[in-house]
Amino acid sequence: MTTPCIGGIAYAFPETSRSLGELAAAGQLESAPALLAEFGFERVHVAVAESPYALAHRAAERLLAEQKVDRESIDLLIYGGAPGTLALVPHAEAWDGTAAFRTTERFKYPATRLQYELGLQRAAVISLDQLACTTLFGAVRIARALCRTGEIERALCVAAEFFPSDAGRESLFNCTSDAAVALLVERSGSRNRIAAATHVTKGYYWDADAMRNEIVASYFPTSKHVIERVIAEAGWQSSDVAWLIPHNVSRRSWDILLSLVRLPRARLWADNIARRGHALAGDNFINLRDALEQGAVQPGDKVVLFSYGYGAHWTALAVEA
Amino acid sequence: MILVTGATGLVGGGVLARLLAADRNLRVAVLVRDLRRWVTAAARLGVATDRVLPVVGDLLRPGLGLDVATRARLQRELTAVVHAAADIVFSRPLDVARATNVEGTRRVVELAAACPEVRRLAFISTAFVAGRACGRIAERDNGADTGWVNAYEQSKYEAEQLVRAVGGACEWVIFRPAAIVCDAPAGQISQVNSVHLALRLLYHGLVPMIPGSDDAPIDVVTAEFVADAVARLALHPDVAGRVLHLCAGAGALPLRGLFDLTWRTWAADPAWRRKDIAQPVIADLDTYALFARSVEATADEPLKRAMRSLSHFVPQLAHAKRFDTTEAEAALGHAPPAVETFWTQMSTHLLTVRWPELRREEAA
């Protein structure tokens, strides 16, 4: 069976970033900045003028250009993240986007617009929703599965996530960033081969705010299970894992999780937690690209990407860089 | 006449009922703080009250709070003392735990020593006087080098030292039960404790992490086993000066096995099974402590309360120990019941009654 790979990664952040102090002054944090700093956060990116769609388009264009992809070769476009009309208006006007749901305006979709504007005429379009921070992992799993069946050769997976620019920037003691991420999933290749993909959904936690305590309690046992399962499904030992590429949640929670899965702290690539914050669109993939560019992750390294979608989703990929 | 303390409690009451049933001529004095509470307990136990002398007193008061006439009568008539009364709340500060468990025991020992015909002082301690010690725990004074997890353990250890020093013609025997989780193998629970509270938190998916290791033995017993053993052996001449572990011993279940069994039992309830609640991670003590600090710094009050309530005893699980039961088995002539023979029934009982006793306590 072929081993699909992630043939390229690109991302786009909005131009504006804010420090913890600036967020606190604007009333966008629930916790004291000192506590969030202790958890590893310094800055987040906040889209003020950009729409999620604009970020998604920028990330996808960058990816296609960098990889010199023949746009006719893209069989599938999977878009996820900010839904419908909300994705098409600037962040500052996000609340106005909800009005469109009362009219046929609601059928204006960022996914189809992206297909058109990127020139991906051959690409079928699928949109993913409701996976929170695991959207891009879901897209990769679908693309990988279709690649393995031979139905497609190449998929473009794009996710864009945001909070309105004046909204709170803290979620369960994590500081969140707006961003878009684009990935190329290909049927075969020599880099970033996907050795295994695991996903667990626990619908019991669907009402996330009401189940906050139960969710906090379930996070570590299920995260440990998912990380260990993806390592096992890849046929690896935990000692084989060169890097754990995180979603950029608090360092404290990663310290605990690393201990539970018996991986040393030094194997967590955590450089982006402070400077990027938690990009809901798919910070694991941003981190993987940056770690590769910095040379921290070397070709052939076995890396695990793990993320949690607030509420009910735990997911991981085992990738040979 | 025998004096029994703690007769309104689970173990003391069970011992009292068995002693009376075993010897139709036996008369027993029971030390009680509240006569009305004793009347209720006596009715529950179904004991022959004409052979029981309720004596109003209090472990916390000098001379046990006995009036002169009562003390004089006890000094004349007592031949043995079974001291089962204790403050078994794990979260007590040390001075509070000591007040009942150490100073109270000191007063019981003084009374026993002051009674010329008392030949036996039987003390119900706890297996967890071993505290933070790990490995095989022998049936003897294991010392205090490793310290304890909570004030209950420490105060019971200190009380054991007082019992050993009773002196005179009075010989002692110390019984060390493991944690009692149900009345009998059928699984019913008439007295809830910290174990049941922890199980309720597990049931509701509010326990993310437990310190320990997968194979750490979890030693729990039934009240029936403990009461039977104490009633049979408390006055037996062969156990004088001995420490007996009333524990599951080799029949303890490994921690992971205990979780597996509990989850299998609760999964019989389709509504619970559908929630797909994960078993807690079993972590080393440092990781557990880091998580507990994070919860304290960041979590909502319900989760903080859950973690705090566990913090008084779950760290004991990180000090894996296997209680040796050789002496107790030899004295009893049989092995203790293995945990798996009653854990399922107890877990089923909890599932059936939904922790009503705890709800009543909270409402109060």
Side-chain angles (χ1 to χ4, degrees), chain B:
Chain B
M1 179 185 284
I2 291 173
L3 173 68
V4 174
T5 71
T8 57
L10 186 62
V11 172
V15 171
L16 171 68
R18 285 164 174 78
L19 287 171
L20 289 168
D23 182 351
R24 300 174 70 86
N25 297 315
L26 183 68
R27 289 181 308 120
V28 179
V30 293
L31 183 73
V32 295
R33 278 175 295 180
D34 182 342
L35 273 178
R36 283 171 302 185
R37 193 164 166 225
W38 160 246
V39 170
T40 305
R44 172 172 49 81
L45 293 167
V47 296
T49 51
D50 58 325
R51 291 195 281 141
V52 179
L53 171 67
V55 171
V56 176
D58 192 337
L59 292 176
L60 295 174
R61 294 172 60 191
L64 296 173
L66 299 173
D67 61 52
V68 174
T70 302
R71 173 169 282 270
R73 180 176 179 186
L74 293 177
Q75 286 179 337
R76 279 197 311 275
E77 298 186 26
L78 284 186
T79 57
V81 175
V82 178
H83 180 33
D87 183 342
I88 60 170
V89 177
F90 297 148
S91 58
R92 299 275 194 241
L94 183 57
D95 60 333
V96 176
R98 275 178 170 157
T100 300
N101 295 341
V102 181
E103 296 312 311
T105 299
R106 188 190 307 280
R107 291 172 187 124
V108 171
V109 170
E110 287 169 355
L111 175 66
C115 299
E117 299 304 319
V118 167
R119 294 289 181 266
R120 173 60 56 87
L121 170 59
F123 177 55
I124 317 299
S125 181
T126 171
F128 295 98
V129 293
R132 294 196 177 97
C134 297
R136 176 181 166 275
I137 307 297
E139 294 168 290
R140 56 175 168 75
D141 180 7
N142 307 101
D145 298 345
T146 54
W148 298 272
V149 167
N150 56 48
Y152 170 71
E153 296 173 356
Q154 181 173 351
S155 64
K156 293 296 272 188
Y157 176 82
E158 292 171 358
E160 280 195 7
Q161 309 313 307
L162 299 175
V163 169
R164 290 170 201 277
V166 62
C170 182
E171 295 174 319
W172 54 266
V173 57
I174 293 172
F175 298 100
R176 288 180 181 164
I180 293 172
V181 295
C182 57
D183 298 357
Q188 67 272 31
I189 298 162
S190 57
Q191 184 173 302
V192 294
N193 59 31
S194 298
V195 175
H196 306 114
L197 171 64
L199 287 167
R200 186 174 68 157
L201 295 172
L202 284 165
Y203 178 84
H204 289 293
L206 287 170
V207 184
M209 204 175 292
I210 291 285
S213 58
D214 284 4
D215 56 358
I218 303 302
D219 199 314
V220 293
V221 290
T222 67
E224 178 185 273
F225 166 67
V226 174
D228 277 347
V230 173
R232 275 186 57 193
L233 300 175
L235 309 179
H236 201 289
D238 290 353
V239 298
R242 305 257 290 271
V243 174
L244 301 174
H245 278 163
L246 303 182
C247 303
L253 269 181
L255 181 54
R256 180 55 70 195
L258 196 82
F259 285 149
D260 288 344
L261 185 56
T262 307
W263 254 244
R264 279 202 302 275
T265 304
W266 288 345
D269 175 7
W272 188 82
R273 188 170 65 244
R274 194 164 57 232
K275 294 175 183 175
D276 196 15
I277 290 171
Q279 289 186 19
V281 178
I282 298 173
D284 61 69
L285 207 47
D286 287 343
T287 306
Y288 178 78
L290 180 61
F291 176 72
R293 285 202 302 277
S294 290
V295 166
E296 202 55 46
T298 63
D300 290 349
E301 201 53 40
L303 197 58
K304 285 183 189 173
R305 278 203 305 273
M307 289 296 291
R308 286 176 197 151
S309 70
L310 297 174
S311 68
H312 300 293
F313 74 102
V314 294
Q316 176 60 248
L317 303 178
H319 306 286
K321 47 178 72 70
R322 175 80 68 181
F323 295 110
D324 184 18
T325 56
T326 306
E327 300 252 341
E329 287 188 41
L332 289 168
H334 63 80
V339 174
E340 64 184 352
T341 63
F342 55 85
W343 187 266
T344 300
Q345 291 85 334
M346 187 274 296
S347 304
T348 302
H349 178 77
L350 289 173
L351 196 63
T352 306
V353 301
R354 310 277 175 183
W355 292 266
E357 300 88 350
L358 281 172
R359 287 207 299 272
R360 277 201 297 275
E361 283 185 2
E362 285 168 355

